[in-house]
């Protein structure tokens, strides 16, 4: 078996551009200077002005390619089309382009971007994401992978007092494609068949991932979705795609933001 092709940000960008019709749905919001070249920080908005708002992001960790591949597949197969009547999509296909290019978790300055969201002075990539979160979303789906996990799992945080059933619904559907992580403890937190919902109070955490910042900004339902790289890429991508579909199909009736 030949090794998988190395990640290449320019290839990714041209794939995304050719998947979009018209291409002006893609904005190269600003430029990042890193590793001796310029990278655009890219966002895509589809269904602008629709009442429900979803943020889908990938590639904040450069060594987790399934999320980025999922965004490509989502666009190339126009899987958003069934949801365009109600939903405005904001998609960040690759938050850490320099890390993605070389396959490292951290960015060009060896910073884990997903640890920086509590700080005021932040790397450019994080500032870019924070601007996206100036307006809250009904749904925030953050696509990750966990090399240490034997199966799929989810961190869920909801604004409502009672945890919504969304995380369980997503995992029940993902399980048909990708085994779940059945451990009772994942990353030091209690887990129920892949669902981590008893999460730390943001105020008590020294650092914040993007998900906690999104939650603090008023996002109603925040999910960090983790595949297991022990599975082949196509299964991981299918699992993430099913998770996105499940969330869009079952999110509770429109709640005020
Ligand atoms: Zn990650």
């Amino acid at each position: 078996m030949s090794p998988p092709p190395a990640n290449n940000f320019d290839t990714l960008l041209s794939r995304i551009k050719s998947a979009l019709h018209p291409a002006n749905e893609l904005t190269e919001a600003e430029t990042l200077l890193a590793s001796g070249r310029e990278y655009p920080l890219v966002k895509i908005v589809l269904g602008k002005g629709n009442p429900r708002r979803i943020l889908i992001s990938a590639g904040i960790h450069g060594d987790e390619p399934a999320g980025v591949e999922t965004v490509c597949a989502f666009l190339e197969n126009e899987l958003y089309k069934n949801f365009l009547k109600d939903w405005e999509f904001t998609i960040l296909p690759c938050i850490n382009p320099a890390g993605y290019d070389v396959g490292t978790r951290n960015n060009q300055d060896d910073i884990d971007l997903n640890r920086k969201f509590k700080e005021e002075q932040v790397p450019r990539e994080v500032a870019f994401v924070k601007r996206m979160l100036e307006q809250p979303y009904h749904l925030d789906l953050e696509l990750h992978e966990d090399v240490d996990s034997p199966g799929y799992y989810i961190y869920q945080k909801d604004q409502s007092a009672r945890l919504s059933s969304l995380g369980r619904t997503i995992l029940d559907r993902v399980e048909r494609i990708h085994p779940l992580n059945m451990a009772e403890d994942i990353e030091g937190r209690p887990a129920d068949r892949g669902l981590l919902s008893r999460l730390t109070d943001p105020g008590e955490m020294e650092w914040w991932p993007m998900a906690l910042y999104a939650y603090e900004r008023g996002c109603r339902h925040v999910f960090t979705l983790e595949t297991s790289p022990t599975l082949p890429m196509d299964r991981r991508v299918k699992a993430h795609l099913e998770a996105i579909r499940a969330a869009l199909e079952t999110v509770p009736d429109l709640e005020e933001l």
Side-chain angles (χ1 to χ4, degrees):
M1 214 172 74
S2 57
N7 298 331
N8 183 296
F9 182 76
D10 293 325
T11 306
L12 167 69
L13 200 54
S14 54
R15 264 180 86 184
I16 291 171
K17 282 180 178 171
S18 59
L20 290 172
H21 316 282
N24 65 9
E25 294 153 324
L26 177 139
T27 310
E28 297 186 9
E30 51 189 273
T31 302
L32 176 74
L33 289 170
S35 313
R37 61 159 286 181
E38 293 184 354
Y39 288 99
L41 295 173
V42 173
K43 74 165 174 173
I44 298 153
V45 179
L46 302 163
K48 190 156 182 53
N50 285 338
R52 293 181 175 201
R53 305 181 73 241
I54 177 170
L55 179 66
I56 301 174
S57 65
I60 195 167
H61 291 139
D63 59 347
E64 299 173 8
V68 177
E69 285 295 317
T70 300
V71 168
C72 286
F74 188 73
L75 296 172
E76 287 167 348
N77 297 297
E78 300 185 332
L79 299 177
Y80 51 87
K81 279 210 163 158
N82 285 345
F83 304 101
L84 274 185
K85 200 158 53 69
D86 303 315
W87 288 93
E88 178 187 279
F89 290 84
T90 300
I91 302 172
L92 309 179
C94 190
I95 293 171
N96 176 10
Y100 177 75
D101 247 353
V102 291
T104 59
R105 177 181 178 91
N106 293 352
N107 80 346
Q108 61 285 348
D109 299 318
D110 202 22
I111 292 169
D112 185 338
L113 298 173
N114 210 26
R115 298 285 181 273
K116 291 290 171 189
F117 282 78
K118 197 171 186 179
E119 297 170 24
E120 299 285 332
Q121 296 291 326
V122 293
R124 224 177 149 78
E125 302 93 321
V126 173
F128 167 66
V129 175
K130 282 189 168 187
R131 269 195 295 286
M132 299 301 113
L133 288 160
E134 281 172 8
Q135 297 282 319
Y137 295 83
H138 292 94
L139 260 176
D140 170 32
L141 305 183
E142 304 183 11
L143 308 178
H144 284 257
E145 309 208 67
D146 183 344
V147 286
D148 298 322
S149 178
Y152 202 95
Y153 68 93
I154 291 178
Y155 298 89
Q156 173 173 351
K157 215 154 173 57
D158 287 333
Q159 292 289 347
S160 44
R162 252 186 72 242
L163 192 74
S164 81
S165 57
L166 269 174
R168 188 77 267 150
T169 303
I170 293 170
L171 285 167
D172 285 347
R173 284 180 51 173
V174 164
E175 192 174 17
R176 299 174 206 159
I177 298 163
H178 185 308
L180 305 182
N181 183 331
M182 303 300 265
E184 290 177 1
D185 180 295
I186 301 175
E187 298 283 310
R189 296 188 180 87
D192 173 25
R193 288 179 51 239
L195 186 62
L196 287 78
S197 52
R198 276 178 280 161
L199 303 177
T200 319
D201 181 347
E204 290 174 10
M205 281 191 74
E206 269 178 49
W207 55 265
W208 287 357
M210 176 181 163
L212 274 192
Y213 185 79
Y215 177 79
E216 282 295 290
R217 294 294 308 157
C219 288
R220 301 293 309 190
H221 305 285
V222 178
F223 295 94
T224 307
L225 307 153
E226 305 270 359
T227 70
S228 168
T230 57
L231 270 79
M233 177 63 85
D234 66 326
R235 294 267 296 283
R236 284 136 66 196
V237 170
K238 276 187 187 143
H240 269 340
L241 287 174
E242 187 63 14
I244 294 171
R245 255 194 307 263
L248 286 165
E249 284 169 7
T250 54
V251 73
D253 288 338
L254 187 59
E255 300 146 312
E256 293 294 317
L257 283 170

